[in-house]
Amino acid sequence: MSQKSSDNGASLSQNGTSAYKFTKEQLAEIEVLKTKYPEVQAVTLPVLWMAQDTFGHVDPEVQRLVAQTLDLPESHVHGVAEFYTQYFKEPKGKHVLDVCTCLSCHLCGGMDILGYLENKLGIKAGETTPDGQFTLQEAECLGACGYAPMMQITNDVYVNHLTPEKVDRVLDQLASGQTPDFESIPMPLVSTTSNNKAAGGSDE
Amino acid sequence: MAEIVIDGITYSFDGKPKLLDFILSKDKDVPFFCYHPSMSAPANCRMCMVKVGQYVKNRETGDYELDDQGERQIRWFPKLQTSCNMDMMDDMIVHTHETDDLVKRAHKDTLEMILINHPLDCPICDQAGECPLQIQTYKYGPEGSRFEVKKQHKPKHVQLGPRVTLDAERCINCTRCTRFTDEISQSHQLTITRRGDKNHPTTAPGTEFDDPYSMNTIDLCPVGALTSTDFRFKARVWEMNQTPGLDITNGKGVNVDLWTRDNVVLRITPRHNPHVNEYWMTDKGRDAIHLYNEERLSTPAIRLHPKDISLVMSSWDNAYQTTQEIVESTDPKQILVLGSPYASVEENGAWMQFSEAILKQLPSYTTHIEKGSGDGFLLVDDQAPNTHGCELLGLKKRTKAAFKKAVAEAKVILSLHDDYIERGWLSEEEIKGKTWIYFGTNHTQMAKAATLTIPITCAVEHTASYINVDQRIQRTYPAKETKYTNRRLDLEMSEGRLDRFGTKFDHWVNEDHKVDCKPLWEIVGDLSLLWGHTLSYRHGRDVLDALGSKIPALEGVTYQAMDDQRGLLLTLSETQEASS
Ligand code: SF4
Ligand code: SF4
Ligand code: FES
Ligand code: FES
């Protein structure tokens, strides 16, 4: 009874053939994935990741490929892709900068960092630089409130305690093909205990 | 038998009913939005909160533990529970808002939360007047809102598909619409996109919501988010009059409600009947409004000369006399009388009696089956609403070839309803030179080709019964007045607000919406008088009674019984079955 009219999808190629294809190896991997979950619907997430890693994004046509590969309704894959901001529903720059502007970061100057990046890159949040290097986005809380303000780079590395200087350094590193340094940040709890110790020591 | 105490009253129950369903069935109220009895319960609107607990029993002895006062101890669930997805268990205690202030408070807060981004444009919202959100807010909502910031904006008037328009700002994300396409129509066309305060239903990119059942989501939607593209802004709910009826666009016999204002059918919605259509109907069935309102045959019309391109208005008397003249001047062998599966049992019955008494022949009929158009749900192959009715009456069934041959041999044809030309069974060429008297409701191609057209009432203008593909006989009620009926006098008709308070001197009442047509049984009664017979039927009931004494299967079949049992299942005899 499913009577889907997909013929009016201007952005989609006709007769169901997609410009995007999974390789044989990927298809085999998908088959393995399917055995790991009780229902095939659950495989949508890893396959979307696989697609994004391969094609750089999961635009409607990629979503369609995923749906067809898993034999799921297109609407389901679309809903899942739209739900998670980490899936890119359109082609993005090489590096995607997710600047957190949620409460804690906002209070610690997240907006200023966003503004600084906008000026520096000459684009607004949500846009991509003309050379395709950087996409700038506002993000909701990324769970690193303790190190606010912060940003995440292309769904991967977190850069914390942002300052304009640090932003400059990170952009340079990214432009020259390096990943920003990993910073180990001590948990606040740890430093409190050591302070207490120090205080205890002076008591002696 | 298990027992449950709800607001201090003990009820016993069997099985594992859902708590909300059970409470509602006891004529008590619990507000809810996302729950629907025929779909899964995801419990996402959080409106149906109740307080639930369980009597504590001693594990060893199985006795109830008592507190200091000797009352049974209750172990309450740590938080309020949504009743829609709660399975009832023995020894449960439930407090609804009637007895618990915390539950009351939960309702208030949930509504305040749901309304945070709600546009509150009830004055221009189609749903107003039949909006669960509006009703629950009146009953259980907070006095005001603490939310003073700008509301979130979302897409407005999105054309989700050819028949459904979305206003995402009004959506409360109950997912009833997406569950409908997943679980009921199974087209899987809808999904919820994005999240938080930005989410709303949508289709996959490049596809449209053209499910043949898409408009059911409009009825399901507890707010004015999904509206009918056709009906949007046409009428306020409280101005309309609601009359039960049947969907006559195919043989399924879906139960519907007809919403009229000033004798125009403005929309058709499904009426619950567990034996036929549950809560649903096809989109095609809703299109019947055009059939009922537009292009209606009104006042008999006649072709004065065979070469004339069109028919001219005539009068009832003239039409009757012309019919008599034509019939009397023709050899009865050259007259063909055609019944129709598109007409009701009563119409075909009266037609048959007239034909047998005066024209001395049994009317024949042809079925209109389109193989492959059924889907196992509410679309069926049989395009006509009363094929089994014709069968039961014993009308002579003809194949297409036999029908064409009979038409070719006849000089005068009296036919009912069917548009043989549109169906491609006859060409205008083939009926040239024949005298065709057409008893119909609309300006069909058949009507345009006929010699004489006599307008008869349609399914929304009379009381008549139809036998569906599953052999269930069900009846219609008059929803629209004709020139000769009057809702204030006809106790079978209901009156809407405008019907009651409007007069023909108001601008909202228009006499033109009443069609100049008569029930077929009245017409054949009047006609038979010309031959000195008296087949006088004033009401469909008279015909049904008369048929009941002749046809065993219709014995004891009354409108009352059909109403009481949501239609009656008939047992058609073996021979009739075999011929279907
Ligand atoms: S959906 Fe209901 S509450 Fe919302 S604007 Fe429409 S009528 Fe009012
Ligand atoms: S559009 Fe209506 S039915 Fe669909 S999720 Fe929103 S409120 Fe529920
Ligand atoms: S608010 Fe920025 S990481 Fe939580
Ligand atoms: S009706 Fe129970 S949560 Fe919506």
Side-chain angles (χ1 to χ4, degrees):
Chain A
M1 205 167 52
S2 142
Q3 298 170 339
K4 209 164 284 174
S5 78
S6 33
D7 45 18
N8 58 347
S11 69
L12 303 179
S13 52
Q14 299 300 311
N15 65 43
T17 57
S18 170
Y20 301 101
K21 275 209 165 56
F22 286 124
T23 62
K24 266 217 188 72
E25 292 72 37
Q26 284 175 320
L27 290 175
E29 204 181 323
I30 291 170
E31 285 311 311
V32 175
L33 281 171
K34 279 194 203 165
T35 62
K36 293 192 179 166
Y37 301 92
E39 279 180 46
V40 68
Q41 265 172 327
V43 191
T44 313
L45 290 173
V47 176
L48 277 171
W49 274 123
M50 184 189 281
Q52 179 153 313
D53 289 343
T54 316
F55 312 117
H57 57 82
V58 289
D59 76 355
E61 202 163 338
V62 177
Q63 290 167 21
R64 196 168 165 205
L65 170 73
V66 172
Q68 282 170 354
T69 310
L70 295 176
D71 199 17
L72 285 172
E74 276 173 59
S75 62
H76 168 73
V77 176
H78 179 65
V80 172
E82 287 283 341
F83 184 84
Y84 296 100
T85 48
Q86 289 88 341
Y87 291 127
F88 304 148
K89 269 73 70 181
E90 63 209 2
K92 300 263 163 156
K94 191 161 165 224
H95 308 289
V96 180
L97 312 177
D98 278 313
V99 183
C100 176
T101 52
C102 210
L103 185 67
S104 311
C105 291
H106 204 311
L107 291 172
C108 296
M111 271 314 209
D112 299 336
I113 295 297
L114 184 72
Y116 181 77
L117 273 161
E118 285 184 335
N119 285 338
K120 181 155 171 123
L121 297 173
I123 52 173
K124 290 257 165 278
E127 295 175 351
T128 303
T129 51
D131 61 2
Q133 281 296 308
F134 296 104
T135 297
L136 184 60
Q137 303 189 137
E138 258 185 271
E140 296 305 330
C141 181
L142 288 159
C145 315
Y147 330 128
M150 59 79 66
M151 68 176 171
Q152 187 183 20
I153 296 170
T154 328
N155 289 335
D156 194 7
V157 197
Y158 279 22
V159 194
N160 308 308
H161 294 310
L162 290 174
T163 58
E165 297 72 43
K166 199 161 180 183
V167 167
D168 288 344
R169 201 163 65 238
V170 168
L171 287 193
D172 288 344
Q173 281 176 320
L174 287 174
S176 62
Q178 304 165 20
T179 357
D181 311 322
F182 172 73
E183 311 163 88
S184 160
I185 297 174
M187 297 295 279
L189 195 64
V190 175
S191 60
T192 334
T193 20
S194 63
N195 278 348
N196 286 347
K197 253 191 195 151
S202 65
D203 260 357
E204 264 181 314
Chain B
M1 196 181 263
E3 283 191 343
I4 188 167
V5 184
I6 302 173
D7 290 336
I9 300 174
T10 310
Y11 302 90
S12 48
F13 65 95
D14 279 327
K16 260 196 181 179
K18 296 281 183 219
L19 186 51
L20 176 63
D21 226 17
F22 188 81
I23 299 179
L24 294 175
S25 75
K26 296 290 167 233
D27 267 350
K28 290 167 73 82
D29 193 27
V30 169
F32 68 98
F33 296 117
C34 69
Y35 177 73
H36 191 282
S38 54
M39 299 194 290
S40 60
N44 56 19
C45 73
R46 316 308 290 173
M47 194 64 229
C48 61
M49 296 287 190
V50 289
K51 186 171 163 184
V52 183
Q54 189 111 34
Y55 287 128
V56 188
K57 272 186 177 167
N58 188 308
R59 291 236 175 129
E60 263 112 62
T61 59
D63 293 338
Y64 291 107
E65 298 276 7
L66 302 181
D67 62 12
D68 304 343
Q69 270 90 42
E71 299 283 326
R72 287 182 192 173
Q73 272 186 39
I74 300 170
R75 188 182 299 120
W76 295 104
F77 281 54
K79 293 264 167 65
L80 297 183
Q81 299 293 315
T82 48
S83 56
C84 64
N85 63 341
M86 164 120 316
D87 286 324
M88 285 175 32
M89 282 181 288
D90 197 13
D91 278 342
M92 252 190 183
I93 342 269
V94 179
H95 285 186
T96 71
H97 55 91
E98 285 177 27
T99 47
D100 194 285
D101 285 340
L102 189 64
V103 177
K104 246 187 218 162
R105 178 64 201 262
H107 290 169
K108 262 198 176 96
D109 289 352
T110 306
L111 278 164
E112 188 180 0
M113 162 88 183
I114 289 176
L115 289 168
I116 278 184
N117 281 311
H118 199 80
L120 291 180
D121 49 1
C122 310
I124 55 147
C125 179
D126 271 319
Q127 192 85 350
E130 54 176 13
C131 175
L133 181 56
Q134 206 180 34
I135 295 165
Q136 308 300 21
T137 306
Y138 268 119
K139 286 164 96 169
Y140 305 105
E143 244 90 280
S145 175
R146 286 166 285 176
F147 186 77
E148 290 167 355
V149 198
K150 213 176 137 201
K151 294 195 178 208
Q152 174 74 35
H153 285 296
K154 294 203 262 186
K156 304 280 266 186
H157 43 80
V158 182
Q159 201 65 57
L160 273 189
R163 298 172 289 275
V164 180
T165 305
L166 166 75
D167 182 326
E169 287 185 351
R170 292 189 194 135
C171 171
I172 60 167
N173 283 289
C174 69
T175 70
R176 273 181 167 194
C177 55
T178 59
R179 272 178 287 144
F180 176 80
T181 63
D182 281 343
E183 297 169 21
I184 309 290
S185 77
Q186 293 175 4
S187 69
H188 306 283
Q189 286 183 339
L190 293 181
T191 185
I192 299 283
T193 185
R194 315 200 54 190
R195 57 177 155 150
D197 57 8
K198 297 188 182 67
N199 60 4
H200 60 84
T202 183
T203 56
T207 65
E208 59 173 358
F209 185 35
D210 59 357
D211 188 318
Y213 298 93
S214 68
M215 294 173 84
N216 288 301
T217 58
I218 300 165
D219 312 323
L220 275 179
C221 181
V223 288
L226 297 176
T227 53
S228 157
T229 307
D230 175 65
F231 175 70
R232 252 162 95 77
F233 307 130
K234 287 255 170 77
R236 309 304 333 218
V237 178
W238 54 88
E239 291 175 347
M240 290 188 289
N241 181 24
Q242 184 185 3
T243 312
L246 294 175
D247 175 6
I248 50 141
T249 60
N250 70 21
K252 187 70 189 178
V254 166
N255 291 208
V256 298
D257 275 317
L258 300 147
W259 298 77
T260 53
R261 187 187 60 191
D262 190 20
N263 293 311
V264 180
V265 184
L266 289 173
R267 69 169 179 182
I268 301 177
T269 55
R271 181 161 53 95
H272 179 232
N273 186 336
H275 311 294
V276 182
N277 54 306
E278 280 280 333
Y279 300 87
W280 325 115
M281 75 179 292
T282 61
D283 287 3
K284 206 169 147 232
R286 306 193 193 227
D287 250 1
I289 52 169
H290 303 294
L291 200 68
Y292 300 142
N293 301 329
E294 295 158 24
E295 294 281 313
R296 289 294 304 276
L297 288 178
S298 189
T299 312
I302 188 163
R303 193 183 304 274
L304 291 177
H305 188 272
K307 292 233 162 63
D308 286 354
I309 359 176
S310 57
L311 287 75
V312 294
M313 285 292 175
S314 179
S315 70
W316 287 94
D317 278 345
N318 189 18
Y320 292 161
Q321 272 161 26
T322 311
T323 308
Q324 188 194 19
E325 277 163 26
I326 293 171
V327 167
E328 288 194 332
S329 63
T330 315
D331 175 1
K333 287 202 192 69
Q334 290 183 310
I335 300 179
L336 176 65
V337 187
L338 297 167
S340 170
Y342 281 93
S344 59
V345 172
E346 289 80 347
E347 288 169 294
N348 277 302
W351 190 237
M352 185 169 86
Q353 295 194 348
F354 168 74
S355 174
E356 283 179 333
I358 289 147
L359 308 160
K360 309 286 176 232
Q361 66 165 292
L362 182 69
S364 52
Y365 75 103
T366 61
T367 57
H368 187 189
I369 313 274
E370 276 179 16
K371 285 245 150 47
S373 51
D375 63 357
F377 187 25
L378 300 179
L379 287 167
V380 290
D381 289 351
D382 194 342
Q383 304 300 303
N386 192 31
T387 307
H388 275 314
C390 292
E391 234 170 74
L392 179 66
L393 292 174
L395 264 51
K396 182 170 168 182
K397 179 166 152 182
R398 283 187 207 264
T399 60
K400 185 175 174 186
F403 160 78
K404 287 186 76 120
K405 183 156 169 278
V407 170
E409 284 166 1
K411 256 181 83 185
V412 170
I413 296 132
L414 281 80
S415 86
L416 209 56
H417 261 294
D418 287 61
D419 190 349
Y420 302 105
I421 303 179
E422 212 248 322
R423 207 190 299 171
W425 282 30
L426 284 181
S427 67
E428 281 173 50
E429 208 47 45
E430 282 170 291
I431 60 171
K432 274 244 164 70
K434 307 207 181 285
T435 305
W436 196 298
I437 309 178
Y438 178 67
F439 294 73
T441 54
N442 291 73
H443 282 285
T444 54
Q445 296 196 42
M446 206 62 239
K448 285 177 190 142
T451 319
L452 174 63
T453 58
I454 299 187
I456 57 176
T457 47
C458 67
V460 299
E461 284 154 338
H462 59 219
T463 301
S465 45
Y466 295 79
I467 305 179
N468 80 352
V469 286
D470 306 315
Q471 305 182 1
R472 176 170 284 274
I473 186 166
Q474 312 179 97
R475 62 106 150 206
T476 61
Y477 298 74
K480 254 182 93 149
E481 286 169 313
T482 68
K483 285 262 184 286
Y484 310 101
T485 56
N486 185 324
R487 350 185 139 257
R488 295 185 194 191
L489 304 179
D490 185 344
L491 295 182
E492 218 163 25
M493 299 187 81
S494 46
E495 273 183 298
R497 191 161 151 264
L498 292 190
D499 296 325
R500 187 163 313 148
F501 300 113
T503 74
K504 50 178 166 236
F505 309 106
D506 300 322
H507 67 278
W508 60 75
V509 172
N510 189 341
E511 282 295 306
D512 294 348
H513 298 156
K514 297 181 187 169
V515 178
D516 184 7
C517 61
K518 294 182 184 177
L520 185 68
W521 48 84
E522 253 182 71
I523 295 174
V524 297
D526 291 347
L527 270 175
S528 69
L529 284 178
L530 299 181
W531 277 275
H533 284 264
T534 40
L535 290 174
S536 74
Y537 300 121
R538 290 294 104 189
H539 192 277
R541 183 175 289 116
D542 305 337
V543 189
L544 191 66
D545 287 348
L547 291 172
S549 58
K550 277 177 57 189
I551 300 171
L554 288 180
E555 212 187 298
V557 171
T558 60
Y559 294 142
Q560 186 63 45
M562 289 185 224
D563 292 351
D564 291 349
Q565 301 173 48
R566 315 263 181 109
L568 298 171
L569 202 58
L570 300 179
T571 24
L572 304 192
S573 72
E574 289 293 314
T575 49
Q576 280 155 348
E577 284 253 19
S579 67
S580 67

